[in-house]
Amino acid sequence: MQISLAWWNTSLSPLGKPRATEQEKAFAVQVVRFLTEALGVDCLALGEVTAADLGDLLQESGLRDYAYHDGTLRFGRLQFDTGLIYRLTKLRVLHSLSIVTKRGNHSLKVANRVDLLAPDSRSPLHLFVSHWPSRLWCEENGANRHLLGIRLRDAVEEVSGLYERQPSTILMGDYNDEPFDSSLSGQLLAARDRKLVRKNPQLLYNPFWRHLGEQEPHIPGKPRESVCGTCHSRSGLTTRWHTFDQIMFSSAFLGSNEWELDERGTQIVRIPFPNGGVSSSRNIFDHYPVASVIYRETQHGKLC
Amino acid sequence: MANYVEAFQDGLRAVEAANRAKHEVKEVFDELNKQLNMETNGKLRVVLRQFEVSELSWRRYENIFAPKPKQYYWAIAAFNPDAGEASMKELAQWSQDRAGYPCKITWAGTESICEDRIALEEALAELLRDPLVAETLVKVMKRECPEKAEEKPEDNKE
């Protein structure tokens, strides 16, 4: 059995404020349909959505065996803007929790934790969906970004504390930080080195280290269209591309537990967005979805 | 070679810092109670208490999969001093770092991690603004002491 996971920052309603035109909403529906039907995504986490967006995307996509989990909680002045669309035959939601860290009068959204259970599974999948603040409001490598990494790490360790072995924990979202930034590599301890992660199971594995550069190689005389990240900004001194959208895994997914990561399914999904794509200022879509796959071996309908 | 004297001195400073932080947290709850006491004529007191993990709580559900079930947890609770501890009701789950901060308040599907005094004060104010928490507080205030409750039938006799 496999479960396909994806994250997409839709750009429909940043901070819970709807801004999409009818055409843009219709295109978002097409993206959700493509991800669920063509890519077979079973668990699609979405960012910059409202509860109404989640309902509309589910209904307009005509997904009959899917449901949505609304994570768009308002907490004081803070507005969570993520949610999940998940396949009912493969997953059910056990529990959810929105995690906020507060320093002085300032609050930061750490993650929405959603515990999911697959049929006949021995243990839940603990999913942490994050949409960290933009670098416009929370500076690169600033103290608040470190704090977000530290508190997300604490939340992961709290789940680990419930088990004797490493649990199945998946983190996904738009961190507005690259895999190499201190918040993710230094504080969250999301590493690129699988061997080291197996040796030190406290580390997380971040397969999106492999998606930092150009997706296609340069071939002499044959220039190819490529992307070198998950989102595009209009300006940048040395890059306009960033790999802010990532999916990370606890060490259990590297072969020590029930579920295993199938990294062949880890990818940036290059959706042909209208009006010039993610690099164009003529549409709201500036993030590609990212996807990954986990696999569980079964024999004769029973767990191995 | 490790400098154990320096490490020891660091430890002593850490103890002092932790004690200061814990005292600060106590002050926040004292101020909360001072204000509530005046507003409710002494019918409401907020405290930190341990509660037993119930069969139906999500913690218990998770513990089906966990080898080390926790039997108790800390919570922010309220009681009516006139009615005694029997009126005690849980408002939110609570945990506190060994260093005093952060303090974690969990209720209504939200975990609020407070890194300092101002954050804790704000989080407690948010807790009190929650309609379900407010409803619980009203119920707690309406609880009467057992003696008074027994006296009532007598009061009705004329």
Side-chain angles (χ1 to χ4, degrees):
Chain A
M1 178 190 184
Q2 74 169 37
I3 290 178
S4 179
L5 311 147
W7 156 261
W8 180 38
N9 183 340
T10 65
S11 309
L12 291 174
S13 306
L15 300 171
K17 291 172 187 157
R19 64 164 178 179
T21 63
E22 287 307 311
Q23 287 88 346
E24 286 162 342
K25 283 185 196 171
F27 195 82
V29 169
Q30 284 184 52
V31 174
V32 169
R33 203 177 286 144
F34 172 78
L35 291 170
T36 48
E37 289 176 0
L39 278 191
V41 168
D42 304 298
C43 179
L44 172 59
L46 297 167
E48 297 195 352
V49 288
T50 61
D53 290 332
L54 287 166
D56 290 347
L57 287 170
L58 188 66
Q59 193 178 353
E60 300 298 319
S61 304
L63 300 171
R64 285 193 190 147
D65 53 348
Y66 283 77
Y68 75 84
H69 170 77
D70 178 16
T72 64
L73 175 90
R74 182 152 194 98
F75 183 73
R77 293 185 298 273
L78 216 55
Q79 177 67 56
F80 278 82
D81 63 358
T82 64
L84 274 189
I85 288 178
Y86 61 98
R87 198 190 296 268
L88 285 163
T89 51
K90 286 202 175 174
L91 293 164
R92 68 188 171 94
V93 173
L94 295 178
H95 166 255
S96 68
L97 187 68
S98 299
I99 305 168
V100 173
T101 186
K102 299 166 75 71
R103 199 161 64 157
N105 293 316
H106 198 59
S107 299
L108 295 163
K109 295 172 281 184
V110 177
N112 267 330
R113 172 180 156 191
V114 187
D115 297 341
L116 300 156
L117 192 65
D120 305 322
S121 183
R122 291 193 294 260
S123 61
L125 297 167
H126 300 282
L127 191 65
F128 289 89
V129 181
S130 294
H131 183 200
W132 287 1
S134 151
R135 290 179 168 192
L136 290 173
W137 317 114
C138 189
E139 63 177 331
E140 185 179 354
N141 289 322
N144 280 341
R145 304 200 86 85
H146 282 270
L147 185 62
L148 283 164
I150 291 167
R151 293 299 168 237
L152 185 53
R153 178 75 215 173
D154 286 348
V156 167
E157 285 182 4
E158 190 171 320
V159 168
S160 300
L162 297 167
Y163 299 83
E164 262 181 5
R165 300 173 68 189
Q166 278 297 317
S168 303
T169 305
I170 301 166
L171 301 91
M172 56 165 75
D174 172 4
Y175 298 91
N176 274 301
D177 267 342
E178 303 265 11
F180 51 80
D181 280 316
S182 304
S183 59
L184 297 180
S185 61
Q187 306 295 2
L188 184 61
L189 302 178
R192 73 180 107 175
D193 180 342
R194 287 194 295 256
K195 203 170 174 181
L196 188 65
V197 173
R198 282 193 199 98
K199 194 177 166 190
N200 178 5
Q202 305 303 315
L203 298 175
L204 301 167
Y205 176 56
N206 185 356
F208 281 84
W209 275 96
R210 298 173 69 228
H211 296 269
L212 288 171
E214 293 281 358
Q215 299 291 291
E216 305 292 341
H218 176 73
I219 300 169
K222 292 183 181 172
R224 297 164 82 179
E225 275 294 310
S226 181
V227 299
C228 48
T230 64
C231 60
H232 188 276
S233 55
R234 272 169 238 158
S235 60
L237 189 63
T238 56
T239 182
R240 288 172 299 173
W241 286 96
H242 295 284
T243 304
F244 286 166
D245 304 274
Q246 296 155 60
I247 307 177
M248 295 167 269
F249 297 88
S250 60
S251 57
F253 286 96
L254 297 182
S256 68
N257 214 338
E258 182 185 0
W259 293 96
E260 199 162 348
L261 169 66
D262 185 346
E263 208 169 342
R264 289 170 298 182
T266 301
Q267 59 177 309
I268 298 169
V269 186
R270 288 166 62 178
I271 301 285
F273 288 112
N275 301 323
V278 292
S279 57
S280 165
S281 58
R282 284 180 292 147
N283 70 48
I284 59 170
F285 304 113
D286 55 359
H287 288 258
Y288 284 125
V290 290
S292 201
V293 171
I294 56 171
Y295 171 80
R296 184 183 72 183
E297 203 166 319
T298 54
Q299 256 184 6
H300 310 297
K302 287 191 171 180
L303 290 168
C304 289
Chain B
M1 194 176 78
N3 187 338
Y4 294 116
V5 172
E6 198 177 293
F8 173 66
Q9 285 167 347
D10 285 348
L12 293 181
R13 277 192 290 274
V15 170
E16 276 178 29
N19 286 342
R20 269 198 307 276
K22 286 172 188 169
H23 182 70
E24 192 172 276
V25 170
K26 187 182 169 295
E27 279 178 350
V28 170
F29 278 91
D30 287 347
E31 177 60 27
L32 167 71
N33 278 316
K34 189 176 149 195
Q35 291 186 28
L36 287 182
N37 186 50
M38 284 170 70
E39 181 62 24
T40 65
N41 292 324
K43 286 188 180 299
L44 209 52
R45 183 158 182 80
V46 175
V47 290
L48 296 173
R49 277 285 186 280
Q50 272 195 315
F51 285 82
E52 194 174 351
V53 175
S54 78
E55 286 291 332
L56 294 173
S57 79
W58 69 267
R59 279 169 177 266
R60 188 67 158 195
Y61 188 82
E62 280 193 331
N63 284 341
I64 289 170
F65 307 103
K68 294 177 286 187
K70 289 178 186 170
Q71 296 298 312
Y72 294 92
Y73 61 95
W74 282 96
I76 298 174
F79 73 104
N80 181 345
D82 288 346
E85 296 259 331
S87 64
M88 186 80 70
K89 291 277 181 206
E90 178 183 332
L91 304 178
Q93 289 175 15
W94 166 268
S95 67
Q96 189 173 9
D97 193 86
R98 289 191 311 153
Y101 290 109
C103 306
K104 208 186 291 178
I105 303 175
T106 308
W107 88 98
T110 309
E111 184 174 279
S112 199
I113 305 162
C114 307
E115 307 284 348
D116 53 33
R117 181 181 192 138
I118 295 171
L120 177 60
E121 287 170 346
E122 273 217 354
L124 288 171
E126 277 158 9
L127 179 70
L128 295 180
R129 277 190 207 106
D130 184 281
L132 290 180
V133 171
E135 200 177 312
T136 305
L137 292 176
V138 170
K139 280 182 192 163
V140 170
M141 285 165 62
K142 284 182 178 169
R143 284 287 297 268
E144 291 176 343
C145 71
E147 296 87 51
K148 277 188 185 171
E150 279 169 22
E151 281 168 13
K152 274 209 166 161
E154 298 291 324
D155 293 343
N156 292 335
K157 281 182 189 172
E158 296 233 325

